[in-house]
């Protein structure tokens, strides 16, 4: 409804501000629908789940029993009857949960008696002809009441031009389409623990156990691994549904990589393994989240610190990184002084080489010059560092 009012434009908004005294609904049993029949915008709009309706009651009305109606693409969903008070104010009522694009939905009420002060009247401008703002909005009155039958303005007993019911939608995203709002309704309790161990051939494994201790299934759980220092992309098993997880603004962290998990049933425990190149030492955090806010905060993440002997050579690189102005920053580690040769490959081709001389053991930041054609290649990029017979590899995604 809010989106539809925005389509009316500044002139109509001014007209709405000049409201007549006729704010009440007509007397007697009836079905009333807020009907927008003006133009619609064509931009893409994400579907949202209707979770409630906000009704503004103005002075001068009477209390009475009504039920809220939601018309979505010709299918009418009815709420339970309730008493709409006469006292002025804004009230929130439950609504049928309907996943919708705001352009495909309209709201109404079915009343036993009239006189509810929930309408506003636009000042019509008949002299404007087709541009009269009242041509786009009406309250359609059906007598006798039509219940959950789809409304058709051509059969209405009365069309009140330029009127508008003061009913507004309360919506939430519903990413898993389970009929529960992701912000306040689809909440569960996920718990996480983690262990780590060294593997042969310079690899390290992290075993992350996730438990759903909440009352609802976790339909879209995702694991975030925040690794410091970052060894680049790892390999998840079992395989993720997706590693490209769109995060809310502010949740993206340096060194983080993600795994979209299969749904986790109530009471289910699942262990996921992440294998990365071993950098010898690190501080890692693993966090699991699903659609809604966790019911029991602070147990959905696990920290793992480790200190082992450093490998002969190692590479630090962000898992998702795009070269900036033809330059790619990485950090090399060498357990002894000497020469380290590093190269960058993607799609079977080599795009950069550099030789780095370490005068002593330790870490060193290195910048590789990367040609423009690197960005047009496909697949994950691989960095390889060689120090004598020792080899280290790290992967990263340049186009996340």
């Amino acid at each position: 409804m809010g989106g539809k009012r925005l389509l009316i434009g500044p002139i109509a908004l001014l007209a709405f501000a000049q409201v007549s005294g006729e704010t009440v609904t007509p007397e007697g049993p009836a079905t009333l629908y807020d009907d927008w029949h003006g133009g619609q915008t064509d931009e893409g709009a994400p579907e949202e789940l209707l979770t409630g309706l906000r009704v503004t009651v103005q002075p001068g009305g009477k209390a009475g029993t009504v039920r809220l109606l939601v018309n979505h693409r010709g299918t009418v969903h009815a709420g339970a009857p309730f008493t709409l008070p006469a006292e002025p104010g804004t009230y929130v009522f439950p609504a049928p949960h309907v996943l919708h694009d705001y352009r495909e939905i309209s709201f109404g009420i079915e009343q036993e008696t009239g006189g509810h002060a929930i309408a506003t009247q636009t000042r019509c401008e008949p002299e404007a002809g087709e541009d009269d703002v009242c041509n786009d909005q009406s309250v359609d009155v059906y007598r006798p009441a039509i219940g959950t039958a789809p409304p058709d303005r051509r059969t209405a007993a009365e069309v009140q031009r330029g009127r508008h019911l003061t009913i507004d939608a309360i919506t939430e995203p519903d990413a898993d389409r389970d009929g529960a709002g992701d912000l306040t309704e689809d909440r569960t309790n996920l718990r996480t623990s983690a262990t780590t161990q060294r593997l042969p051939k310079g690899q390290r494994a992290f075993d992350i156990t996730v438990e759903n201790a909440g009352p609802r299934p976790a339909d879209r759980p995702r694991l975030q691994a925040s690794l410091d220092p970052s060894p680049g992309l790892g390999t998840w098993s079992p395989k993720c549904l997706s590693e490209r997880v769109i995060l809310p603004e502010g949740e993206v962290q340096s060194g983080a990589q993600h795994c979209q998990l299969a749904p986790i049933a109530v009471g289910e425990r699942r262990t996921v393994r992440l294998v990365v190149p071993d950098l010898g030492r690190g501080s890692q955090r693993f966090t699991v989240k699903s659609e809604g806010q966790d019911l029991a905060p602070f147990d959905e993440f696990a920290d793992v610190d480790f200190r082992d002997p450093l490998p002969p050579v190692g590479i630090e690189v962000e898992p998702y990184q795009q070269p900036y102005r033809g330059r790619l920053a990485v950090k090399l580690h060498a357990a002894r002084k000497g020469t380290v040769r590093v190269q960058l490959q993607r799609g079977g081709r080599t795009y950069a080489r550099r030789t780095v001389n370490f005068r002593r053991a330790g870490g060193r930041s290195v910048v590789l010059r990367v040609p423009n054609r690197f960005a047009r290649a496909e697949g994950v990029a691989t960095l390889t560092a060689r120090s004598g017979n020792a080899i280290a590899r790290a992967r990263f995604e340049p186009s996340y």
Side-chain angles (χ1 to χ4, degrees), residues 90-152:
T90 299
Y91 302 89
V92 173
F93 300 99
H97 281 37
V98 179
L99 191 66
H100 68 282
D101 178 328
Y102 73 89
R103 294 164 293 192
E104 304 169 341
I105 202 165
S106 61
F107 303 126
I109 65 163
E110 190 165 88
Q111 64 182 28
E112 294 181 0
T113 58
H116 306 291
I118 57 169
T120 60
Q121 174 66 51
T122 305
R123 177 177 293 172
C124 297
E125 300 174 341
E127 66 278 6
E130 292 184 359
D131 294 330
D132 184 354
V133 294
C134 289
N135 290 334
D136 294 336
Q137 177 77 51
S138 66
V139 170
D140 304 336
V141 182
Y142 296 85
R143 288 197 181 95
I146 59 174
T148 56
D152 182 347

Side-chain angles (χ1 to χ4, degrees), residues 180-193:
D182 292 344
L183 301 181
T184 64
E185 297 177 337
D186 204 359
R187 301 181 62 184
T188 188
N189 177 17
L190 297 178
R191 300 172 179 170
T192 306
S193 60

